[in-house]
Amino acid sequence: MAGKPLEHEKKRTLVQIAATVFFNGYAMGFAKGQIFKGKTKMLCVPVLNCYSCPGALGACPIGSLQSVLSSRKFRFSFYVLGFLMLFGILLGRLVCGFLCPFGLLQDLLHKIPVKKRKVNAKVDRVLRYLKYVVLAVLVILLPIMIRDEMNMGDTWFCRYICPAGTLAGLSLLAMNPTLSSALGFLFSWKMCILLIVVISSTLVHRPFCKYLCPLGAFYGLFSKFGLYQMHFDSSKCTGCGKCEKECPMDVRCTQDINSAECIRCGKCKASCPVHAITSTFGFDFKDR
Amino acid sequence: MTAKRKNALRIAVILIAVLFIILGVFRKEANVVLSKAKAICFACIGLS
């Protein structure tokens, strides 16, 4: 794979497309403007894939977590947390790099040939923490703490932020005119967020993943000890800097190869001319 | 972190995760997820 970054990117894009089709395989939903209602929706998928997408066959883990936490009966979700931990330890942010449909969308948007921008390093460093705030406050705390008179909470991230849900809604609204009658301020707000993410994705690589995605924030917690690990061999490195130049998440590959920001896209590995970067999946049998 | 410790941590996380999922099913959390996921989520698509 090393030395063939373009070939690697083509393969990665194909895997991303296959994953998007796999998680959204209910083609009839797009034709009818309805969503899938089968039992597989009981299972969480590893990616940010709104369950209101007409094709969705499983449940979005972030939406599911908020739904359980905001329900009358529960204040903690063993079920969704179990799925998140399992995906986190088995795949980690490999999900972001290879499986997430919203990641694919941002990657494709970034291919649009417009002048690319670099976010100021200080601003970037601060904004990177925003996704952890989103996870802690909008996904966990507010759904548990703020309740209405029926003792029900709200899905704050889904309602006010999630652009994947807005995108899913657009295809539903196009096919289902009765839903269009309920459009209001909230839809305009969410459309603004979606447009900001879409436009900024053409200028900056994966802005939603870098700054807002609570799922990426959670999976990042497993980067240092998950089953999928990146390895950097400093004895082979010639210091050419190609790996760091290629990295879409601006990870300092030579210093922190298993950074929580790394989406395991493998661009660093593919671009390294001396094979100084490798990856392994599974249990370790020797200290590195 | 040594390989041995890393592996122990991984096994512990996998076991806890599986245990949590089973516990969640027994607590009927999966039903909450299913009921939410099989209805159109108005909040998600921006309809109030």
Side-chain angles (χ1 to χ4, degrees):
Chain A
M1 189 188 290
K4 296 176 182 170
L6 275 176
E7 200 177 300
H8 169 73
E9 272 305 282
K10 276 183 191 168
K11 282 180 188 167
R12 190 170 72 91
T13 305
L14 283 176
V15 174
Q16 287 174 298
I17 292 169
T20 301
V21 172
F22 178 74
F23 293 126
N24 296 282
Y26 184 60
M28 290 297 286
F30 293 102
K32 289 182 178 173
Q34 293 171 350
I35 63 168
F36 179 68
K37 295 181 177 177
K39 291 262 183 191
T40 55
K41 277 213 159 165
M42 189 182 279
L43 303 171
C44 293
V45 293
V47 295
L48 195 79
N49 195 127
C50 185
Y51 34 46
S52 282
C53 174
L57 293 171
C60 169
I62 292 296
S64 302
L65 183 60
Q66 293 168 88
S67 295
V68 178
L69 295 179
S70 63
S71 66
R72 275 192 210 102
K73 207 174 163 188
F74 302 108
R75 295 290 179 276
F76 187 85
S77 180
F78 287 102
Y79 184 71
V80 183
L81 191 62
F83 273 107
L84 285 171
M85 286 168 68
L86 199 60
F87 295 140
I89 197 76
L90 294 179
L91 302 169
R93 294 205 75 178
L94 189 71
V95 168
C96 311
F98 278 84
L99 304 179
C100 184
F102 207 70
L104 169 65
L105 176 73
Q106 290 172 88
D107 284 346
L108 294 177
L109 287 168
H110 197 69
K111 289 184 196 292
I112 295 173
V114 292
K115 194 181 172 192
K116 305 303 171 192
R117 306 277 170 159
K118 200 92 182 160
V119 178
N120 175 284
K122 276 185 186 169
V123 175
D124 177 75
R125 208 176 309 134
V126 175
L127 284 178
R128 297 270 180 158
Y129 290 104
L130 190 58
K131 58 182 173 293
Y132 297 101
V133 176
V134 169
L135 173 66
V137 177
L138 295 181
V139 176
I140 299 171
L141 291 177
L142 292 182
I144 295 173
M145 292 165 71
I146 299 187
R147 304 260 154 186
D148 61 13
E149 61 277 8
M150 305 281 286
N151 196 27
M152 291 283 287
D154 203 350
T155 53
W156 290 77
F157 174 74
C158 295
R159 183 180 290 276
Y160 296 108
I161 306 287
C162 186
T166 318
L167 200 61
L170 285 177
S171 46
L172 267 183
L173 289 166
M175 299 302 295
N176 200 332
T178 50
L179 290 174
S180 310
S181 59
L183 295 182
F185 171 77
L186 185 63
F187 184 74
S188 308
W189 165 258
K190 288 203 72 181
M191 275 304 293
C192 285
I193 291 186
L194 178 62
L195 281 175
I196 290 169
V197 171
V198 166
I199 293 166
S200 58
S201 296
T202 63
L203 308 171
V204 180
H205 212 127
R206 292 212 179 203
F208 180 75
C209 305
K210 279 178 182 163
Y211 308 128
L212 283 175
C213 183
L215 192 57
F218 187 86
Y219 288 153
L221 302 175
F222 298 86
S223 290
K224 297 271 189 271
F225 62 94
L227 286 174
Y228 188 84
Q229 291 286 296
M230 304 295 292
H231 306 285
F232 170 67
D233 187 344
S234 56
S235 66
K236 286 184 182 174
C237 180
T238 57
C240 69
K242 279 184 183 169
C243 53
E244 292 184 3
K245 201 178 160 197
E246 283 291 319
C247 180
M249 299 299 281
D250 303 317
V251 171
R252 300 172 86 178
C253 308
T254 56
Q255 291 169 34
D256 188 11
I257 190 81
N258 283 306
S259 159
E261 296 298 322
C262 171
I263 56 169
R264 309 321 205 196
C265 66
K267 277 188 172 182
C268 55
K269 191 171 117 177
S271 64
C272 181
V274 292
H275 308 269
I277 297 174
T278 53
S279 60
T280 54
F281 180 81
F283 291 96
D284 290 342
F285 295 102
K286 60 179 179 183
D287 289 328
R288 284 178 184 263
Chain B
M1 199 186 295
T2 63
K4 205 174 174 183
R5 279 193 174 198
K6 216 182 247 187
N7 287 342
L9 186 58
R10 287 163 174 168
I11 291 169
V13 172
I14 291 170
L15 290 177
I16 292 169
V18 172
L19 194 73
F20 273 17
I21 294 171
I22 294 168
L23 197 60
V25 171
F26 277 107
R27 283 181 7 131
K28 300 198 188 314
E29 287 176 38
N31 295 351
V32 176
V33 171
L34 179 63
S35 64
K36 179 75 181 179
K38 70 178 188 181
I40 292 176
C41 170
F42 291 112
C44 302
I45 60 179
L47 304 179
S48 39

